[in-house]
């Protein structure tokens, strides 16, 4: 069996959780027959935010809700009506559509005026791991430039913007997430200068209501040292 000479942060997570699952998914190439609901929702939210920030790069405006709704409607149309669990799948898809719209409506209002400049969106980067035949590959949601003032004058921080949808958030885990380290290391080769870390951009999977007390959005700067 040939082991592919490419490794990603997701593969590292799978290896840590279950080595048998890693072997099935990576060298063997097996894929699950049915995706998880939250993974499907994350795909749609990522597509909407990618279009949102890509438009922002050129000074234009884009409604992420429209992008997400178009994606969700296409997913619903492509459901297999002959499937025995079609009714359950349809309900899950409609619920996901409602939830995603609510999340992105709130996001667009909250972050209508961003404090940073968008440098790049949706970059797949491959970099050789020094001293090995292996390449590290990762997909970057966005790269941003954050201005700040110091005693040396106005400067800029470069960060990877990482979109995540979540139900609950462990802030301590962010400091230990090797995906962030890999993303910073990969982004260094793009020529934007020193990359300071990752801006975790979290969207809670929750429809707003007076009963919801936890924040619907969470941003955390995670600085990565050498």
């Amino acid at each position: 069996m040939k082991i592919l000479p490419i490794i990603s942060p997701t593969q590292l997570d799978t290896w840590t959780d279950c080595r048998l699952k890693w072997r099935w998914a990576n060298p063997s190439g097996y894929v699950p027959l049915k995706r998880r609901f939250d993974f499907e929702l994350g795909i749609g939210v990522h597509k909407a935010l990618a279009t949102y920030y890509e438009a922002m790069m050129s000074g234009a405006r884009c409604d992420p809700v429209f992008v997400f709704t178009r994606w969700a409607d296409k997913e619903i149309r492509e459901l297999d009506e002959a499937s025995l669990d079609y009714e359950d799948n349809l309900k899950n898809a409609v619920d996901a559509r409602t939830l995603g719209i609510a999340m992105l409506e709130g996001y667009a209002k909250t972050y209508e005026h961003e404090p940073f400049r968008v440098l790049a969106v949706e970059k797949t980067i491959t970099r050789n791991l020094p001293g090995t035949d292996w390449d590290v590959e990762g997909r970057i949601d966005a790269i941003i430039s954050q201005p700040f003032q110091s005693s040396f004058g106005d400067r800029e921080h470069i960060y990877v913007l990482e979109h995540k949808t979540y139900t609950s958030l462990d802030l301590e885990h962010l400091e230990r997430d090797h995906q962030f380290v890999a993303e910073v290391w990969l982004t260094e080769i793009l020529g934007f200068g020193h990359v300071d870390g990752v801006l975790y951009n979290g969207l809670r999977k929750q429809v707003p209501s007076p009963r919801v007390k936890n924040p619907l959005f969470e941003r955390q700067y995670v600085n990565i040292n050498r």
Side-chain angles (χ1 to χ4, degrees):
M1 183 183 303
K2 182 180 180 181
I3 305 297
L4 298 178
I6 294 178
I7 193 165
S8 69
T10 301
Q11 288 184 32
L12 290 175
D13 284 336
T14 305
W15 174 269
T16 302
D17 293 339
C18 177
R19 295 188 182 185
L20 181 58
K21 181 180 178 181
W22 175 87
R23 176 172 284 275
W24 283 343
N26 296 288
S28 302
Y30 290 106
V31 296
L33 294 177
K34 186 174 181 181
R35 291 176 177 170
R36 295 182 357 236
F37 161 68
D38 57 349
F39 181 64
E40 291 285 4
L41 176 65
I43 292 175
V45 170
H46 272 74
K47 286 180 178 294
L49 293 180
T51 307
Y52 182 69
Y53 285 109
E54 192 169 29
M56 191 177 293
M57 284 180 62
S58 59
R61 302 295 299 175
C62 168
D63 182 5
V65 176
F66 172 77
V67 177
F68 175 84
T69 304
R70 185 172 58 182
W71 169 85
D73 289 345
K74 180 176 181 292
E75 291 287 303
I76 291 173
R77 287 195 302 270
E78 293 179 353
L79 290 175
D80 183 5
E81 296 185 23
S83 171
L84 294 177
D85 53 359
Y86 171 72
E87 294 297 330
D88 288 338
N89 290 338
L90 178 61
K91 182 182 183 303
N92 286 338
V94 171
D95 289 345
R97 183 183 188 277
T98 302
L99 176 57
I101 289 173
M103 291 166 61
L104 289 165
E105 283 178 343
Y107 185 91
K109 292 178 182 177
T110 303
Y111 301 114
E112 181 179 3
H113 303 289
E114 291 286 19
F116 52 71
R117 181 166 57 97
V118 182
L119 303 177
V121 175
E122 290 290 305
K123 290 285 187 182
T124 298
I125 310 170
T126 303
R127 184 177 180 181
N128 177 254
L129 192 62
T132 75
D133 294 329
W134 283 73
D135 290 335
V136 178
E137 183 176 276
R139 188 167 185 84
I140 308 299
D141 291 335
I143 303 165
I144 61 171
S145 174
Q146 179 89 53
F148 77 102
Q149 294 181 336
S150 71
S151 57
F152 300 100
D154 294 343
R155 302 177 60 189
E156 290 188 335
H157 281 305
I158 305 298
Y159 283 96
V160 173
L161 183 63
E162 174 67 24
H163 309 311
K164 294 287 188 183
T165 58
Y166 68 94
T167 302
S168 60
L169 178 62
D170 178 9
L171 292 177
E172 292 184 359
H173 174 73
L174 301 184
E175 299 292 340
R176 307 189 301 271
D177 196 327
H178 55 249
Q179 177 184 356
F180 294 168
V181 178
E183 288 178 340
V184 168
W185 183 71
L186 289 169
T187 304
E188 285 182 344
I189 67 173
L190 295 183
F192 292 113
H194 173 72
V195 182
D196 294 273
V198 172
L199 173 55
Y200 175 91
N201 185 39
L203 295 82
R204 185 184 295 276
K205 291 182 281 190
Q206 178 71 59
V207 175
S209 79
R211 300 175 59 184
V212 176
K213 303 303 180 183
N214 291 325
L216 296 176
F217 309 106
E218 185 74 47
R219 283 188 170 177
Q220 293 287 332
Y221 287 92
V222 183
N223 292 311
I224 305 297
N225 61 26
R226 297 304 303 174

